[in-house]
Amino acid sequence: MAREELIRLTGNVDDPECNKNDCPNVYRTAHGSIVVQGDLSYAFTPPAGEGLVEIPESVLKEAFRALGW
């Protein structure tokens, strides 16, 4: 799935700090599922095929507001 196929729920694309799409963000897929972009976390070892990312609480709250939750 390409980034262009996702609906970005968080972050200001014009923010000079995020000009390379490297900031923590939350996206929604066309199927309604959520994709999270953040720093890798090593809090525990997830099952094969899964990964852990860490995002600031503010990013998650922004995504909830964008979804009307």
Side-chain angles (χ1 to χ4, degrees):
M1 176 179 310
R3 184 190 311 255
E4 294 77 23
E5 298 176 60
L6 303 172
I7 300 165
R8 187 172 177 169
L9 300 175
T10 59
N12 180 352
V13 294
D14 297 323
D15 184 345
E17 298 293 317
C18 297
N19 61 359
K20 296 179 183 167
N21 290 318
D22 59 354
C23 291
N25 281 297
V26 177
Y27 301 86
R28 189 170 198 174
T29 69
H31 305 299
S33 61
I34 302 295
V35 175
V36 178
Q37 173 185 351
D39 295 327
L40 286 177
S41 173
Y42 301 98
F44 63 89
T45 303
E50 296 184 6
L52 303 176
V53 296
E54 185 173 342
I55 61 169
E57 182 179 317
S58 61
V59 173
L60 193 55
K61 286 180 178 180
E62 184 181 352
F64 286 170
R65 282 192 297 273
L67 290 167
W69 294 358

